Amino acid sequence: MSSFDKLDIKNKKEQKKLNVDFAELKSGGFIKQNKKDLFTVRLRVPGGRMPIERLNKIIKIAQKYGKANFVHFTTRQSLEIISININDFNKLKSELKKIGQQTASCGPRVRVATGCGGCEYNARGIIDAQKLALQSDRKFFGIPTIHGKFKISFAGCHSDCTRAKGADIGFIGEIEPGWSERKCIGCGLCAKACLEGAIISDKKTGKPVYDASKCIFCGDCIKICPTSAMHEKKVGCGLYVGGKWGRHPRIADLITHLFPAKDIIPVIKKTIDWYIKNGKKRERIGNTIDRLGIKKYKNEINYKRSY
Amino acid sequence: MEKQIKIAKKLDLTGVICPTNFVKTKLALEDLKKGQILEIILDDGEPIRNVPRSIKEDGHKIIKVENIKNKFKILIKK
């Protein structure tokens, strides 16, 4: 018998003794640790934004119940209180509830939505990743998918710091550039800023020659233009589906550029529904897409090329 | 026309990396009066991609960009 099997039997005995279901606990953000009776409590922090006042209160709760002298920041922006004794569960939960702090979801459910700083204060942000993460989290958090976890991420720009391309569904802020010849001084900075080769500076006039087929709509040309000759024509999102990390990473498929922000909530809903209907046990939506084909997904969510 | 532009200060930022080049530009602009012109020389690559954008975000105006052998001469109006 391996040590893992022993641990499993031990877990089952503990479950019986304490009359708790570990899977059920996990759904509420309580994760069993490697020592008896100790759990990690993962907090729901959509977009990684934590009001300072609430953080102060969480510190006090963590000091009171956490047996570790640290907290852990997860890769997906949640905050975990470490080594909570199983007997303190109810007290901890009610204290968290009092300060308006919920616990996160684990297991085959929609996880907490992540987002970068977005356009609110970040100089590079194109979309309001914070607001969108909060909105979608309010709408979809904790929904059981039956098959596997489902992660939603928002990135303000193509730097993709929140790894939208590694999420089950991800959105990246995009701008389609427009050009006003009257304002252009032919400085060539837009061509310098473009890393995709979508803008080439005309040899004679210095003015931009734009190739939309190469453009990824990052907006760098607009941000650098000294005269605002390059300007915002349309704002939207790159829509990515099927990304995952883990033992077999998969980069998400680009469904479309410049997806309209107003359709974000409907497309997430359609995608989760599609996954519940078509997925197999323990498979992520990326694997479902590999198995059934991206065409089927696009057709069934009523995908339209939006530019 | 070009000769009429009066340059108040010149700054050669060749070999100066980001963000030091931008900080130096910022400090030089602080010494100028509103409407005066600063000339900077920037390397190709990261500097030319970043410094003009940051200058714009700070509310200054780039009035001319000239490409001279892998370097860029930029005129900034405070």
Side-chain angles (χ1 to χ4, degrees):
Chain A
M1 189 188 279
S2 76
S3 56
F4 290 111
D5 293 334
K6 277 182 199 160
L7 187 70
D8 199 40
I9 287 172
K10 209 174 118 209
N11 280 351
K12 275 178 186 151
K13 277 184 188 162
E14 279 181 33
Q15 281 194 33
K16 219 174 168 184
K17 199 173 78 191
L18 292 159
N19 198 22
V20 287
D21 180 354
F22 285 154
E24 186 55 37
L25 281 173
K26 223 178 154 192
S27 78
F30 290 84
I31 306 142
K32 201 185 172 325
Q33 291 181 191
N34 57 3
K35 293 225 168 64
K36 189 177 179 286
D37 289 352
L38 291 183
F39 282 73
T40 289
V41 176
R42 186 178 295 165
L43 304 180
R44 178 182 174 190
V45 190
R49 179 169 296 196
M50 170 71 73
I52 296 165
E53 206 179 310
R54 199 200 295 165
L55 180 62
N56 271 323
K57 292 173 184 165
I58 289 171
I59 291 169
K60 291 201 179 81
I61 294 173
Q63 282 169 336
K64 193 169 167 188
Y65 296 107
K67 305 283 180 249
N69 58 356
F70 55 84
V71 293
H72 178 73
F73 294 103
T74 73
T75 53
R76 292 191 78 253
Q77 306 180 321
S78 291
L79 194 138
E80 287 177 343
I81 307 175
I82 311 299
S83 297
I84 301 291
N85 191 289
I86 196 159
N87 298 317
D88 289 336
F89 266 177
N90 294 337
K91 279 183 277 176
L92 176 81
K93 250 204 138 152
S94 81
E95 285 206 31
L96 286 173
K97 204 179 168 186
K98 259 186 227 159
I99 64 163
Q101 180 60 56
Q102 286 175 294
T103 51
S105 59
C106 299
R109 285 167 192 84
V110 177
R111 303 300 180 86
V112 182
T114 58
C116 68
C119 63
E120 195 181 339
Y121 53 89
N122 187 301
R124 285 192 156 268
I126 294 167
I127 52 165
D128 196 341
Q130 281 294 314
K131 196 176 127 199
L132 291 165
L134 220 70
Q135 268 177 3
S136 59
D137 194 65
R138 213 173 288 145
K139 192 96 185 156
F140 302 110
F141 168 79
I143 291 175
T145 67
I146 307 155
H147 318 299
K149 58 181 99 170
F150 193 90
K151 296 175 178 175
I152 306 169
S153 284
F154 294 89
C157 75
H158 267 285
S159 299
D160 194 11
C161 299
T162 39
R163 276 210 317 240
K165 285 177 198 150
D168 294 278
I169 190 163
F171 300 86
I172 296 176
E174 291 184 336
I175 310 186
E176 183 182 16
W179 180 60
S180 153
E181 187 168 11
R182 189 176 49 83
K183 288 184 181 170
C184 183
I185 55 169
C187 70
L189 281 179
C190 51
K192 272 285 148 199
C194 183
L195 292 174
E196 308 300 320
I199 299 176
I200 289 161
S201 198
D202 184 86
K203 273 187 184 138
K204 269 187 190 164
T205 62
K207 295 190 172 182
V209 181
Y210 175 60
D211 180 353
S213 71
K214 288 183 182 165
C215 186
I216 63 161
F217 310 101
C218 66
D220 284 355
C221 53
I222 297 166
K223 288 201 164 118
I224 205 167
C225 179
T227 62
S228 304
M230 292 302 277
H231 59 267
E232 175 188 314
K233 196 168 149 194
K234 189 179 172 186
V235 171
C237 299
L239 166 59
Y240 291 85
V241 174
K244 68 190 210 62
W245 206 242
R247 65 173 66 191
H248 300 293
R250 183 185 190 279
I251 301 289
D253 288 298
L254 171 67
I255 306 303
T256 180
H257 281 301
L258 297 168
F259 187 80
K262 66 173 177 54
D263 293 341
I264 287 175
I265 296 292
V267 85
I268 298 174
K269 188 179 184 312
K270 275 183 186 174
T271 303
I272 294 170
D273 289 346
W274 188 86
Y275 175 45
I276 291 171
K277 192 179 158 206
N278 294 286
K280 276 188 179 171
K281 183 76 182 159
R282 288 191 67 79
E283 115 186 319
R284 297 277 289 274
I285 191 170
N287 305 121
T288 316
I289 286 170
D290 282 341
R291 192 163 48 78
L292 301 173
I294 190 74
K295 266 190 186 164
K296 181 176 161 72
Y297 167 77
K298 283 181 178 179
N299 286 339
E300 291 179 7
I301 64 148
N302 217 350
Y303 153 79
K304 274 184 216 135
R305 198 181 156 91
S306 58
Y307 69 99
Chain B
M1 175 93 178
E2 270 174 44
K3 277 168 192 161
Q4 285 169 1
I5 300 175
K6 202 179 152 201
I7 291 156
K9 198 172 182 176
K10 288 185 181 183
L11 197 59
D12 186 356
L13 296 168
T14 310
V16 183
I17 55 162
C18 302
T20 316
N21 44 20
F22 172 61
V23 175
K24 286 192 170 182
T25 307
K26 218 173 146 70
L27 290 173
L29 282 163
E30 269 178 25
D31 293 338
L32 299 190
K33 289 189 190 113
K34 200 170 188 297
Q36 283 189 308
I37 311 283
L38 171 72
E39 181 194 290
I40 59 168
I41 309 286
L42 286 176
D43 287 322
D44 202 354
E46 282 293 299
I48 190 66
R49 274 179 52 76
N50 290 322
V51 178
R53 195 191 68 230
S54 304
I55 291 166
K56 186 188 169 190
E57 278 163 10
D58 268 17
H60 305 295
K61 191 146 181 70
I62 291 165
I63 53 172
K64 197 165 184 289
V65 180
E66 205 180 320
N67 192 344
I68 321 155
K69 287 184 199 164
N70 293 329
K71 282 181 197 173
F72 293 85
K73 188 162 97 180
I74 293 173
L75 301 187
I76 308 155
K77 191 176 181 182
K78 188 180 177 178

